[in-house]
């Protein structure tokens, strides 16, 4: 890994937080809708709540996903997340150490399903995106852009 800082990601990765009714098949409906339109889910996590589930996801075509979800009555919010790529799971501690060193809080994290060339990646909601990106880049980690995850 390099000790030189790369520029902060110019096009942050978009995350959708989709509020889905807590009923059988509703997540399947969303995943099927995206798949039918050739939109790939790159990362996903689900949080079960009383009447709804909160599904956070990163897709390879956020513009089209946004249109489809709105047209099909899926309620969602959108935010930027920091996505960091690393060699393998043994480097999770190094990613966390980089953020600890600059005292950036992590609100939540989840893993990508698949990355090119077998590399691992985490989606992180952090307190200070720019500081976190800079700290990770300085330690040689690649902070992914939306373009990096598009197919």
């Amino acid at each position: 890994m390099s000790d030189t800082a790369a520029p902060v990601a110019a096009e942050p990765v978009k995350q959708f937080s989709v509020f889905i009714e807590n009923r059988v098949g509703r997540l399947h409906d969303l995943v099927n809708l995206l798949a039918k339109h050739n939109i790939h889910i790159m990362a996903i996590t689900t949080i079960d709540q009383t009447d709804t589930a909160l599904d956070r996801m990163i897709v390879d075509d956020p513009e089209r996903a946004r249109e489809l979800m709105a047209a099909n009555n899926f309620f969602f919010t959108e935010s930027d997340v920091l996505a960091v790529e690393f060699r393998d799971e043994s480097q999770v501690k190094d990613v966390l150490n980089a953020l600890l060193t600059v005292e950036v809080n992590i609100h939540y994290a989840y893993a990508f399903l698949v990355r090119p060339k077998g590399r691992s990646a985490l989606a992180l909601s952090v307190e200070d995106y720019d500081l976190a990106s800079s700290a990770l880049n300085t330690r040689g980690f690649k902070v992914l852009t939306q373009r990096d995850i598009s197919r």
Side-chain angles (χ1 to χ4, degrees), residues 20-24 26 48-53:
I20 299 179
E21 304 163 38
N22 225 355
R23 66 178 172 88
V24 173
R26 193 64 175 142
D48 183 33
Q49 300 171 338
T50 304
D51 296 327
T52 62

